[in-house]
Amino acid sequence: MAGNVSFGKVRQAAAESVGGLPRQFWWLWTSTLVNRLGAFVATFLALYLTLDRGYSASYAGLVGALYGLGGVVSSLGAGVLTDRIGRRPTLLAAQLATAVSVAILGLVTHPVAIAPVAALVGMSTNASRPAVQAMIADIVRPEDRVRAFSLNYWAINLGFAVSSTSAGLIAQYSYHLLFFGEAAMVLATALITFRKLAESQPAAAGSTTPAPGTATEAAPDSRPDGSSRISLWTVLRDRRFMVVVALNLLLATLIQQAFVSLPISMGEQGLTSTDFGTVIALNGVLIVLLQLPLTRFIQHRDPAKLLIVSALLTGYGFGLNAFAASAAFYALAVAVWTLGEMINAPTQMGLVVQLSPTHGRGRYQGVYALSWSVASLGAPLLGGAVIDHFGADTLWTASAAVGTLAALGYALLLRSMRAHPAPETEHSPAETASAERPASAEPVSAERPASAEQAPSAEVASADRPASAEAPTAPPEPAV
């Protein structure tokens, strides 16, 4: 009897985690997982350049910076393309460009050639992010978006954990296998996109030939002639949204310290690279094990409190490093900021979707992704400079202050949204009606385009009403 009860609870937990999501989401989720399973090159690029090619650490750092710069450029460009030509074409173009550029990077040997190709790899790899996030927002019901973004985030980290381990083994035999292996995996991802993913972008309002199943009435965020009013300048002038981007930049800068400043700090304590590898692996292990049950716990809770708590956990988790003198204490600190990361990722994506007008989701997602690209580019430089001039303890103390500042920023932003809620006209009437449908509505099939009715805009638990199970937070790869 007890066994039946236990099995029933497991089935219920599984249903709450993965049930009720449209088929197209699962194909998108599969493409994300396959892509991350083959993400070998970025992780081992510095080792490839220094150990296999014999270039200096300074040159490897330059190539890494160019890789990050490529991501900065593509975040904006891909966001525009996601809105202009659609999610599916942008995603396909990014995946094919990634496969080709990664293969070329494995073939070129001259330092003058490697640097620009690495920048192209960074551009193409990051170009898929706005399209993926916009597509999830299009095809998943508002009440399910916390779970959807959390599952996508979980796939990214599961793939990263497996690829990092396997890449280390593959690199012992040949670095070329890493490049060509990643190219092959990305091509497999592109095949999934081509065969299984339908275009999900709601038809532009005012179009004479709307996509099958989409609403025919004009959306409020489009011009009468059918052209979108949303531009990058529109996004940059959206003060609430740019506050979210700025707050994410603060937290992303902290998280990036784990891959540059943390090993330096541990080295100063006399700890080895093996110690660092073990400690940082805890981040991926915790995400893989706890992200799904944690999502069930947070998805119906107040997003304002979740964002504040996540910022404090992230900041003070890194702040604990100032007191660390052993691998075990550093592992404790990793556990604390990883918990903050797991809470923040899906919850903040809900806020991003809520603030993004339907026909501007690509541009909004592109600017949001830009914050991660800027953090990956600037965090190593900032962390290294602080450690060199003031010491590692100063960096970790400042991290706690940054987390506190971010928490205060979230509190003020959400309070402002309660006092002055965004006008309903930011989203189309069809989406508003769809958002009010029962959760039992028919899911979007991968074999037909998602309609505006099937792909409603996000409705994060509004600041002017309490969060509930009926209207939970609507929710980030970091990143694919």
Side-chain angles (χ1 to χ4, degrees):
M1 183 67 177
N4 291 335
V5 173
S6 178
F7 181 70
K9 289 182 178 180
V10 171
R11 289 185 59 184
Q12 181 181 358
E16 291 174 354
S17 296
V18 302
L21 295 171
R23 187 185 308 172
Q24 179 153 325
F25 167 79
W26 288 112
W27 283 117
L28 185 61
W29 182 90
T30 301
S31 70
T32 297
L33 179 61
V34 173
N35 187 24
R36 296 306 297 179
L37 286 172
F40 304 133
V41 172
T43 306
F44 284 81
L45 184 58
L47 291 176
Y48 165 72
L49 294 174
T50 54
L51 297 182
D52 193 68
R53 289 298 178 188
Y55 296 125
S56 67
S58 297
Y59 176 75
L62 172 64
V63 171
L66 289 173
Y67 180 95
L69 181 61
V72 171
V73 174
S74 69
S75 295
L76 297 178
V80 173
L81 290 177
T82 296
D83 285 336
R84 285 190 175 180
I85 68 174
R87 284 69 156 130
R88 184 173 179 268
T90 302
L91 190 54
L92 267 175
Q95 291 165 343
L96 293 174
T98 299
V100 172
S101 59
V102 165
I104 294 175
L105 186 60
L107 295 174
V108 296
T109 57
H110 196 282
V112 176
I114 290 175
V117 174
L120 289 176
V121 172
M123 289 180 63
S124 57
T125 300
N126 286 277
S128 62
R129 292 182 178 181
V132 170
Q133 303 290 6
M135 185 173 280
I136 292 175
D138 292 339
I139 65 180
V140 176
R141 298 192 307 261
E143 61 268 29
D144 291 331
R145 286 192 182 125
V146 169
R147 288 193 298 129
F149 282 110
S150 184
L151 283 164
N152 192 65
Y153 176 69
W154 183 77
I156 290 171
N157 284 278
L158 176 61
F160 175 76
V162 175
S163 67
S164 298
T165 304
S166 57
L169 299 175
I170 296 172
Q172 295 179 2
Y173 297 96
S174 172
Y175 275 96
H176 283 91
L177 288 177
L178 294 181
F179 290 95
F180 298 134
E182 177 164 345
M185 295 291 275
V186 176
L187 282 176
T189 303
L191 182 62
I192 294 173
T193 300
F194 180 75
R195 294 292 301 275
K196 297 296 184 180
L197 294 181
E199 176 56 59
S200 66
Q201 184 178 16
S207 300
T208 57
T209 56
T214 58
T216 56
E217 58 186 316
D221 55 3
S222 296
R223 295 182 186 275
D225 63 359
S227 61
S228 176
R229 282 200 303 233
I230 307 299
S231 66
L232 283 177
W233 180 238
T234 305
V235 182
L236 296 176
R237 288 189 296 115
D238 188 334
R239 289 181 294 178
R240 284 181 176 175
F241 179 76
M242 292 309 297
V243 169
V244 175
V245 172
L247 293 173
N248 186 67
L249 177 60
L250 291 178
L251 296 184
T253 300
L254 292 182
I255 292 173
Q256 290 297 321
Q257 301 302 328
F259 305 101
V260 178
S261 301
L262 181 59
I264 294 174
S265 179
M266 292 181 67
E268 291 180 350
Q269 296 281 351
L271 300 173
T272 66
S273 58
T274 302
D275 293 325
F276 169 71
T278 303
V279 167
I280 200 61
L282 182 62
N283 172 255
V285 170
L286 289 176
I287 290 174
V288 170
L289 294 178
L290 300 180
Q291 184 66 58
L292 299 187
L294 180 64
T295 299
R296 293 202 308 275
F297 177 76
I298 69 174
Q299 65 179 334
H300 301 313
R301 298 183 184 274
D302 183 2
K305 293 179 180 178
L306 292 174
L307 290 171
I308 293 170
V309 169
S310 70
L312 292 174
L313 287 172
T314 303
Y316 285 92
F318 279 97
L320 285 174
N321 291 329
F323 305 97
S326 65
F329 202 105
Y330 278 110
L332 173 63
V334 167
V336 173
W337 62 257
T338 297
L339 181 59
E341 181 185 2
M342 288 190 291
I343 294 173
N344 182 271
T347 307
Q348 183 162 252
M349 273 309 307
L351 190 58
V352 171
V353 174
Q354 182 197 12
L355 296 174
S356 304
T358 305
H359 295 291
R361 279 176 181 158
R363 289 175 173 86
Y364 273 73
Q365 292 289 350
V367 173
Y368 177 74
L370 179 66
S371 62
W372 283 100
S373 298
V374 171
S376 65
L377 181 62
L381 301 176
L382 178 63
V386 172
I387 290 176
D388 284 343
H389 291 89
F390 305 103
D393 287 351
T394 301
L395 175 65
W396 304 132
T397 303
S399 297
V402 170
T404 304
L405 179 63
L408 179 61
Y410 282 125
L412 293 175
L413 174 64
L414 273 296
R415 187 173 70 176
S416 171
M417 292 180 67
R418 288 190 186 96
H420 307 285
E424 293 298 326
T425 54
E426 285 190 358
H427 302 286
S428 68
E431 289 195 334
T432 302
S434 177
E436 294 171 353
R437 283 183 312 167
S440 60
E442 180 183 356
V444 180
S445 169
E447 280 74 31
R448 67 179 187 272
S451 68
E453 187 178 7
Q454 293 164 322
S457 63
E459 293 285 352
V460 174
S462 173
D464 59 350
R465 70 176 188 271
S468 68
E470 195 171 350
T473 309
E477 137 149 359
V480 184

